[in-house]
């Protein structure tokens, strides 16, 4: 019957995530195995047919044909693939439907494979199974399997959910001395996650996942399952006695709190886990690997130890910072989801960002009602209202904060079941209580204290806006790496609710953070000024004429580039805001220029010397060339030399030789002396400026009210008053031991702050003393898998 042998095509079914990916690639997958005991597996995706032919003892062959073409083309390719080795003749292949009728060779490939029941290959008949459930891929995370740390593979399935698959874990003993495998694979356990035990030490692990199968697909199950093997043999993790002590202290505090019942306790963990994407810097001189073995810092070694620590504390909410995106997707999320947590990830802003924030919420305790991603790159519309005068007055700060990649996660959580009693929105009225939680990692640059203050204010304002639509009793929690210690204004705003316009952090940031000082623009001005001084026609003169031209710049620039002028055109003295900025710019530009100049000589020196020019003339040529190309003293050695010569009032000859030359010693010593002088001037200017602005501000406030004081501080002292109506309480005392320790630097910059009116701090995991954190020089170490410690607090709704 021609009508029957040429059936009309019909649409395919839904295939989940793996098929959606295949559809995006416009592929259709047909997997063939020409073994009498195994059926043919055929699968549809889109408009390309992939036929995978497996001949026993040979690699899989993949054949690609358009889904709309006649099936005879793909059958011809299959026949050639199944032909005996050395034969030039293809085996004849025919497809038959369930009624035993041959499908016409002109039928399109998609319809033919989807309606076929058997494939006749020579004298052999093979069943065809259309779109059975399948495990498309199975991958174990590339970590060291540690005793006591759960392993969870990443799985992609077709036609079924991962929860429907059957799992078998197996172990293979390994001779630890020779590394050779001994014996056969032995079953160890069942389920998607497996936790190695002491009995598994030294063994290799693998896991097999098989999809659910119908009776027709059962014979094809070996083709539909996947196996994944662990990257290494099972090891014992390094001992962590301090972690055991912290866990014990927290357990005792929890037992003592709330009458020993532990009911209604909310455990919150915050942890900067040290992103592996920064490991490219760890091998530098004085870097992390100068005191910590690379074996301990490998992500394969650190990630399972970090997971073990998080799970040991058994938090209800785990807030992590510096989480690599790839490790979240392949390790953290699969592991935590399988252990009963909901997971969300927020990458730092920017196309090249590869790390960010992760939050995990135990579904048995809390429901994640909503998560909002908040950018803390403060633009015109996102700035705290009180900070608008400051950002209007300081373009450098405004543009600098606008470009930052900082983000925050805001989580609205709700109890999984009512607990406790009393209070608006509490379970006393049968309702589940809410909590509003923020997880963030504020901008890191040490001088940018004012930036972190602005980001903190913006975060609190965002929480206030959301809280207006929540029950009045909803408590707030702010946690994360705030890159601020207890003396910083950002922490003052969090814990006291107010930062004055005269707070020293405002002025410190404005006079030390490069964007606030507009240093890139100032460096460009320096390059253009140096080029303009030398002028055109320099190549027609000798070194003496170039030095004469350069002397004119030195004679007219006592303190140099970008000198700000007052209303009358006169240069501002140091003890004004613009005067202090001028001194700060000079200091930063000289420091950068001296550092750049001290590097190896410019690559063009030898080429220019071959032209017969003197050293000064060659340097002048390079200055003009680099200035014309838009370079600055940050990247150009000739322009750095010009800046050093300008600030030290030296002839170009003094800075035209390599840094290791005897002559260079003179400018290098003078540069350090000059830097010290500028720093003293800057410190003195800060003291005088704060005193003067405070005096003038008081007078202005008396005369014209608070608005005049705000304007004066924003214009003169780079500060504004910020306040928050609901200050939070740190769960740790403000003078607790450090949370972050690297060589020559230890500080407390990680925080968990809570609404003390609504939440009671039942207990915390104590922070170890500094001598324990530096037992192995610094962090990380065998004891500490990150350069930060974890913070953990038990909280109870009041």
């Amino acid at each position: 019957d021609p009508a029957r042998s040429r059936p009309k095509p019909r649409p395919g079914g839904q295939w989940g995530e793996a098929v959606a990916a295949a559809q995006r690639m416009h592929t259709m997958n047909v997997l063939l195995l020409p073994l009498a005991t195994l059926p043919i597996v055929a699968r549809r995706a889109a408009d390309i047919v992939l036929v995978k032919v497996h001949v026993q003892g040979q690699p899989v062959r993949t054949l690609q044909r358009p889904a709309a073409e006649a099936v005879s083309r793909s059958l011809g390719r299959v026949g050639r693939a199944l032909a005996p080795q050395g034969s030039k003749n293809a085996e004849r292949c025919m497809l038959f439907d369930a009624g035993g009728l041959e499908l016409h060779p002109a039928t399109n490939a998609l319809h033919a494979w989807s309606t076929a029941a058997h494939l006749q290959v020579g004298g052999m008949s093979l069943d065809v199974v259309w779109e059975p459930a399948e495990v498309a891929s199975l991958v174990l995370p590339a970590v060291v399997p540690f005793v006591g740390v759960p392993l969870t593979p990443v799985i992609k399935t077709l036609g079924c959910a991962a929860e429907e698959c059957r799992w078998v874990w197996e172990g293979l003993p390994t001779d630890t001395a020779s590394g050779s495998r001994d014996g056969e694979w032995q079953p160890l356990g069942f389920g998607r996650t497996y936790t190695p035990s002491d009995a598994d030490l030294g063994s290799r692990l693998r896991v097999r996942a098989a999809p659910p199968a119908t009776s027709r697909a059962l014979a094809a199950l070996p083709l539909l399952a996947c196996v994944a093997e662990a990257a290494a043999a099972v090891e014992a993790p390094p001992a962590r006695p301090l972690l055991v002590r912290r866990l014990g202290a927290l357990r005792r505090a929890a037992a003592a709190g709330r009458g020993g019942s532990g009911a209604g306790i909310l455990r919150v963990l915050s942890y900067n886990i040290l992103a592996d994407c920064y490991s490219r810097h760890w091998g530098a001189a004085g870097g992390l690997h100068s005191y910590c073995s690379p074996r301990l810092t490998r992500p394969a070694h650190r990630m399972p130890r970090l997971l073990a620590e998080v799970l040991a504390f058994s938090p209800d909410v785990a807030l992590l910072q510096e989480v690599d995106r790839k490790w979240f997707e392949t390790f953290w999320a699969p592991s935590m989801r399988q252990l009963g947590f909901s997971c969300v990830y927020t990458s730092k802003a920017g196309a090249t960002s590869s790390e960010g924030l992760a939050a995990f919420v135990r579904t048995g305790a809390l429901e994640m009602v909503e998560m909002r991603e908040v950018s803390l790159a403060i633009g015109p519309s996102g700035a705290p209202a009180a900070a608008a005068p400051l950002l209007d007055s300081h373009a450098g700060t405004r543009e600098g904060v606008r470009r930052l990649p900082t983000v925050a996660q805001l989580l609205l959580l709700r109890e999984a079941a009512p607990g406790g009693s009393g209070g608006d929105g509490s379970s006393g009225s049968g309702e589940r209580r809410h909590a509003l939680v923020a997880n963030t990692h504020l901008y890191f640059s040490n001088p940018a204290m004012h930036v972190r203050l602005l980001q903190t204010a913006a975060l609190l304002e965002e929480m206030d806006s959301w809280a207006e639509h929540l029950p009045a009793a909803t408590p707030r929690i702010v946690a994360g790496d705030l890159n601020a210690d207890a003396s910083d204004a950002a922490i003052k705003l969090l814990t006291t609710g107010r930062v004055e316009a005269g707070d020293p952090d405002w002025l410190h940031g404005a006079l030390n953070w490069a964007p606030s000082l507009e240093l890139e623009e100032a460096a460009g001005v320096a390059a253009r000024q140096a080029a303009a001084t030398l002028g055109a026609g320099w190549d027609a003169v000798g070194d003496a004429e170039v030095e004469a031209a350069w002397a004119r710049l030195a004679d007219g620039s006592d303190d140099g580039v970008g000198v700000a002028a007052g209303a009358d055109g006169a240069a501002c003295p140091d003890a004004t805001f613009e005067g202090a900025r001028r001194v700060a710019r000079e200091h930063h530009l000289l420091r950068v220029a001296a550092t750049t100049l001290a590097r190896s000589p410019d690559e063009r020196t030898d080429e220019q010397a071959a032209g017969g020019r003197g050293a000064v003339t060659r340097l002048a040529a390079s200055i003009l060339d680099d200035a014309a190309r838009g370079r600055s003293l940050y990247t150009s050695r000739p322009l750095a030399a010009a800046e050093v010569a300008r600030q030290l009032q030296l002839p170009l000859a003094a800075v035209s030789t390599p840094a290791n030359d005897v002559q260079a010693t003179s400018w290098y010593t003078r540069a350090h002396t000059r830097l010290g002088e500028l720093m003293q001037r800057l410190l003195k200017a800060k003291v005088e400026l704060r005193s003067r602005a405070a005096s003038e501000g008081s007078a202005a406030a008396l005369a014209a009210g608070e608005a005049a004081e705000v304007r004066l501080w924003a214009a003169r002292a780079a500060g504004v008053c910020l306040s928050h109506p609901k200050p939070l309480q740190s769960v740790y005392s403000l003078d607790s031991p450090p949370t972050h320790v690297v060589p020559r630097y230890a500080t407390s910059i990680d925080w968990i702050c809570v609404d003390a009116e609504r939440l009671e701090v039942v207990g915390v995991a104590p922070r170890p003393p500094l001598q324990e954190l530096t037992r192995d020089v610094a962090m990380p170490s065998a004891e500490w898998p990150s350069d930060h410690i974890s913070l953990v607090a038990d909280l109870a709704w009041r």
Side-chain angles (χ1 to χ4, degrees):
D1 184 353
R4 180 139 186 202
S5 62
R6 294 181 178 86
K8 296 180 180 180
R10 60 184 181 82
Q14 299 297 318
W15 288 96
E17 180 181 350
V19 170
Q23 288 173 334
R24 289 194 293 272
M25 296 186 293
H26 306 292
T27 63
M28 171 176 140
N29 178 21
V30 180
L31 178 62
L32 301 178
L33 239 50
L35 301 176
T37 55
L38 295 176
I40 303 303
V41 176
R43 190 173 302 286
R44 175 188 185 272
D47 58 2
I48 298 295
V49 177
L50 296 178
V51 182
K52 295 184 178 179
V53 181
H54 180 234
V55 178
Q56 191 168 22
Q58 299 181 25
V60 174
R61 300 184 187 181
T62 302
L63 313 176
Q64 300 189 38
R65 305 305 307 172
E69 78 171 7
V71 72
S72 59
R73 301 292 297 274
S74 57
L75 288 176
R77 296 283 300 278
V78 170
R80 285 192 291 275
L82 296 177
Q85 285 187 324
S87 173
K88 296 182 179 180
N89 298 320
E91 290 287 336
R92 185 172 182 234
C93 296
M94 296 177 289
L95 284 176
F96 295 86
D97 66 11
L101 294 177
E102 180 185 358
L103 295 172
H104 197 281
T107 306
N108 73 68
L110 172 60
H111 187 79
W113 287 108
S114 63
T115 55
H118 305 281
L119 174 69
Q120 187 75 33
V121 185
M124 180 172 57
S125 178
L126 303 176
D127 287 345
V128 175
V129 181
W130 176 248
E131 294 190 338
E134 181 179 354
V135 177
S137 69
L138 185 69
V139 180
L140 278 169
V143 299
V144 176
F146 281 127
V147 171
V149 183
L151 274 175
T152 303
V154 177
I155 184 173
K156 290 184 179 180
T157 57
L158 299 172
C160 66
E163 293 75 15
E164 299 177 83
C165 294
R166 290 169 294 165
W167 302 83
V168 178
W169 288 84
E170 297 174 309
L172 179 64
T174 302
D175 187 326
T176 56
S178 64
S180 62
R181 299 182 177 188
D182 182 22
E184 298 180 352
W185 289 97
Q186 301 295 326
L188 298 175
F190 306 93
R192 182 172 176 180
T193 295
Y194 178 72
T195 302
S197 67
D198 289 331
D200 300 318
L201 278 170
S203 296
R204 304 287 301 203
L205 300 179
R206 75 179 184 186
V207 60
R208 184 187 304 272
T214 63
S215 57
R216 183 172 177 79
L218 197 58
L221 205 56
L223 309 179
L224 305 175
C226 276
V227 177
E229 187 172 337
V234 177
E235 297 182 18
R240 300 195 60 186
L242 294 177
L243 175 61
V244 173
R245 281 161 44 187
R246 297 184 76 207
L247 286 165
L250 185 63
R251 187 164 49 248
R252 290 189 294 273
R258 292 282 162 140
S261 67
I265 297 295
L266 172 66
R267 179 167 291 180
V268 177
L269 175 147
S270 179
Y271 200 178
N272 180 323
I273 63 171
L274 182 59
D276 184 66
C277 63
Y278 300 127
S279 60
R280 61 187 181 275
H281 304 298
W282 296 350
L288 189 151
H289 286 158
S290 65
Y291 61 88
C292 183
S293 167
R295 184 182 67 84
L296 294 175
T297 62
R298 289 181 301 135
H301 197 278
R302 285 200 312 116
M303 294 301 159
R305 294 170 60 213
L306 290 163
L307 175 64
E309 180 172 350
V310 170
L311 296 179
F313 281 113
S314 188
D316 299 306
V317 182
L319 307 170
L320 307 186
Q321 304 87 45
E322 285 199 31
V323 182
D324 296 276
R325 183 193 292 112
K326 70 172 185 178
W327 282 104
F328 175 81
E329 294 171 350
T330 63
F331 180 73
W332 286 99
S335 299
M336 296 297 277
R337 285 196 182 105
Q338 192 64 20
L339 295 169
F341 289 82
S342 55
C343 314
V344 289
Y345 178 82
T346 302
S347 178
K348 283 185 177 178
T352 60
S353 178
S354 58
E355 60 100 345
L357 308 169
F360 306 97
V361 177
R362 187 185 300 278
T363 54
L366 296 163
E367 173 192 358
M368 190 185 300
V369 179
E370 185 179 351
M371 192 278 283
R372 296 181 183 178
E373 297 180 353
V374 178
S375 171
L376 296 181
I378 303 170
S381 60
L390 176 122
L391 297 177
D392 289 342
S393 299
H394 302 294
T397 300
R398 181 178 66 248
E399 292 304 307
V401 297
R402 185 179 61 81
R403 296 193 298 263
L404 296 179
T406 313
V407 293
Q409 294 176 320
L410 293 188
L411 310 173
L412 178 59
L413 307 180
R414 180 170 56 202
E415 288 179 298
S421 62
D424 181 19
S426 74
S427 60
S429 58
E431 297 180 4
R432 293 181 288 167
R433 295 170 293 195
H434 293 75
L436 186 58
V437 181
N439 176 29
T440 191
H441 185 187
L442 297 185
Y443 181 56
F444 70 93
S445 178
N446 189 54
M449 297 174 175
H450 60 327
V451 172
R452 289 185 285 276
L453 174 55
L454 289 169
Q455 291 180 331
T456 302
L459 178 60
L460 291 173
E461 198 167 273
E462 192 73 26
M463 296 183 78
D464 288 344
S465 176
W466 196 353
E468 291 177 359
H469 307 285
L470 302 176
T474 301
R476 305 176 200 191
I477 301 171
V478 175
D481 178 355
L482 305 187
N483 274 308
D485 63 28
S487 65
D488 287 355
I491 304 305
K492 294 177 187 175
L493 181 62
L494 268 177
T495 57
T496 69
R498 186 176 179 88
V499 169
E500 300 297 338
D503 191 279
D505 280 10
W506 288 119
L507 199 57
H508 179 86
L511 296 179
N512 288 276
W513 191 44
S516 290
L517 289 171
E518 300 172 272
L519 284 184
E520 288 187 10
E521 179 182 344
V525 171
R528 293 190 295 273
Q529 185 171 353
T533 300
L534 294 170
W538 59 269
D539 53 349
V541 297
D543 286 3
E545 289 83 358
V546 172
E547 289 287 21
W550 183 255
R552 291 194 293 272
L553 173 63
D555 289 343
S557 62
D558 176 31
D559 276 323
V561 182
V563 176
D568 58 357
C572 295
D574 291 355
T576 65
F577 183 61
E578 282 304 325
R581 275 165 55 90
R582 174 175 59 87
V583 175
R585 281 197 196 105
E586 292 286 274
H587 180 272
H588 284 281
L589 290 177
L590 179 58
R591 180 175 53 81
V592 172
T595 302
T596 303
L597 185 57
R599 297 174 189 154
S600 59
D602 194 25
E603 295 176 356
R604 292 166 296 183
T605 300
D606 291 340
E607 298 175 6
Q608 294 164 350
R613 294 171 177 166
V616 173
T617 307
R618 295 197 305 271
L619 178 58
S622 298
I623 291 170
L624 289 168
D625 181 49
D626 285 358
R629 291 194 293 163
R631 298 180 69 187
S632 75
L633 56 88
Y634 280 85
T635 58
S636 165
R637 188 175 182 277
L639 291 173
E643 178 64 14
V644 170
R646 181 194 67 78
Q647 286 215 37
L648 303 183
Q649 298 187 345
L650 294 172
L652 289 177
V655 294
S656 61
T657 53
N660 58 0
D661 191 276
V662 175
Q663 189 179 10
T665 307
S666 175
W667 74 255
Y668 199 72
T669 302
R670 289 183 61 176
H672 275 270
T673 301
R674 165 78 169 171
L675 288 171
E677 293 170 351
L678 288 171
M679 180 54 70
Q680 289 301 315
R681 285 174 58 184
L682 184 59
L683 293 174
K684 183 178 180 181
K686 286 181 181 180
V687 173
E688 294 184 4
L689 181 59
R690 291 189 61 219
S691 175
R692 180 193 233 175
S695 176
E696 293 179 7
S698 299
L702 290 173
E706 186 177 353
E709 184 179 5
V710 168
R711 288 194 299 272
L712 180 137
W713 272 102
R716 299 282 186 87
V720 291
C721 178
L722 295 177
S723 61
H724 186 257
K726 295 186 176 181
L728 305 178
Q729 173 188 323
S730 170
V731 299
Y732 291 89
S733 65
L734 298 182
D735 58 353
S736 294
T739 64
H740 170 57
V741 177
V742 292
R744 299 177 298 281
Y745 184 73
T747 187
S748 298
I749 56 177
D750 301 274
W751 299 86
I752 299 177
C753 296
V754 303
D755 180 355
E757 292 184 0
R758 304 294 180 185
L759 292 172
E760 174 190 353
V761 180
V762 177
V764 296
R767 284 148 59 164
L770 179 60
Q771 59 267 31
E772 297 286 3
L773 301 177
T774 56
R775 186 179 298 278
D776 297 309
V777 180
M779 304 164 69
S781 64
E783 171 76 38
W784 308 105
S786 174
D787 57 351
H788 294 248
I789 67 166
S790 57
L791 304 186
V792 189
D794 281 343
L795 310 172
W797 270 277
R798 292 188 185 275

